[in-house]
Amino acid sequence: MNAHLPYICGNDGLLTIKFSNMFNFILFGPPGSGKGTQSVKIAEKYNLVHISTGDIFRKNIREKTPLGIKVQSIIEKGELVPDSLLIEILEDALQQHSTAKGFVFDGFPRTIQQAKDLDTMLAKRKDSVSLVLALEVDDDEILKRLLKRAEIEGRKDDTKEVIANRIGVYNSQTQPLIDFYKGKNKFKSIHGLGGIDQIFAGICKIIDQHI
Ligand code: ADP
């Protein structure tokens, strides 16, 4: 060994090894902000796996699985499914896609506890949340969009009363995540009003600056 070269030890903290360059993206925003539509496009463009907890629940409800039966009435009231069930679903999804280049999380996390659980789950894979991007849409626009969607899709949780409850739940339980991720320097936001392609272009610009 050349005595003039500094000795670098791999396990004393001097050398940081990056185990993963996955891109784990959270698309954040109130119900009806367009997370689902945009998440599909983002996953396709960046070759990421799209995980929509709402879609997972709806599929289970349709197929009348034990999970679907457990969560149906909660979702139809516009309440949040208990955090413990979310961890199970996420563990399962991450395992199913163990070779993914990264994820787009849509509708998750929705509570501080879920955000902490996600950090723990990703840390087990030597990974972390890369970026959280919020779609900003005001309450009047949300109500308008969801009532329109109710006419087209007939979702049971898109009635006026349930929408009001979902917006309330979002404001009290999900919005605190903004400060949680701001504190970690991972939070950005963008206007969620405008055409789908225009908003998508804005999202891509922010992602491209990040990766
Ligand atoms: P939206 O964003 O329009 O509210 P979602 O499809 O994301 O719709 O969610 C539908 C419903 O599924 C929520 O109102 C909630 O009851 C349940 N749900 C989805 N994701 C979560 C989550 N991360 N934690 C708790 N409940 C959830």
Side-chain angles (χ1 to χ4, degrees):
M1 186 199 272
N2 187 332
H4 299 292
L5 286 177
Y7 176 67
I8 301 170
C9 177
N11 57 7
D12 64 359
L14 287 174
L15 187 64
T16 309
I17 301 168
K18 202 168 183 315
F19 287 93
S20 152
N21 53 9
M22 284 185 49
F23 187 63
N24 297 310
F25 180 72
I26 297 174
L27 191 57
F28 189 84
S33 55
K35 299 188 297 290
T37 308
Q38 296 294 340
S39 293
V40 171
K41 291 170 79 70
I42 297 162
E44 195 188 1
K45 173 164 177 166
Y46 295 95
N47 194 16
L48 305 170
V49 173
H50 173 209
I51 297 186
S52 158
T53 44
D55 285 351
I56 295 172
F57 289 136
R58 279 185 289 277
K59 181 169 186 283
N60 278 275
I61 291 171
R62 266 198 317 273
E63 293 173 358
K64 298 192 168 44
T65 66
L67 174 68
I69 292 163
K70 214 183 277 182
V71 300
Q72 182 164 13
S73 67
I74 302 174
I75 290 180
E76 286 176 2
K77 280 185 272 186
E79 305 289 335
L80 290 187
V81 170
D83 292 335
S84 56
L85 285 178
L86 269 295
I87 312 171
E88 278 178 39
I89 287 165
L90 258 291
E91 292 269 18
D92 193 49
L94 294 190
Q95 250 166 35
Q96 268 181 39
H97 300 283
S98 55
T99 57
K101 278 177 58 190
F103 295 93
V104 181
F105 296 105
D106 157 15
F108 178 88
R110 258 176 156 97
T111 63
I112 299 277
Q113 186 57 51
Q114 290 179 18
K116 290 180 177 168
D117 292 337
L118 178 62
D119 281 347
T120 309
M121 277 185 268
L122 290 175
K124 278 191 214 155
R125 303 160 63 107
K126 307 269 183 286
D127 217 333
S128 59
V129 169
S130 311
L131 177 65
V132 181
L133 180 61
L135 290 172
E136 284 176 352
V137 181
D138 61 49
D139 288 1
D140 288 348
E141 174 70 16
I142 286 168
L143 186 64
K144 228 166 48 192
R145 286 187 189 179
L146 293 182
L147 288 175
K148 196 168 159 207
R149 184 171 77 185
E151 285 172 19
I152 300 164
E153 293 179 18
R155 253 173 70 168
K156 287 232 174 81
D157 58 348
D158 279 347
T159 64
K160 213 167 180 178
E161 297 71 35
V162 178
I163 292 167
N165 195 24
R166 283 160 62 204
I167 294 173
V169 167
Y170 172 80
N171 289 335
S172 63
Q173 300 195 55
T174 306
Q175 241 181 359
L177 286 173
I178 294 176
D179 282 340
F180 179 85
Y181 285 116
K182 274 187 181 164
K184 293 175 181 281
N185 253 332
K186 292 187 172 175
F187 185 84
K188 294 226 151 73
S189 64
I190 184 172
H191 274 296
L193 288 181
I196 290 174
D197 290 335
Q198 182 195 350
I199 296 166
F200 182 57
I203 294 173
C204 292
K205 208 167 150 194
I206 294 176
I207 293 179
D208 290 341
Q209 284 162 0
H210 200 87
I211 52 179

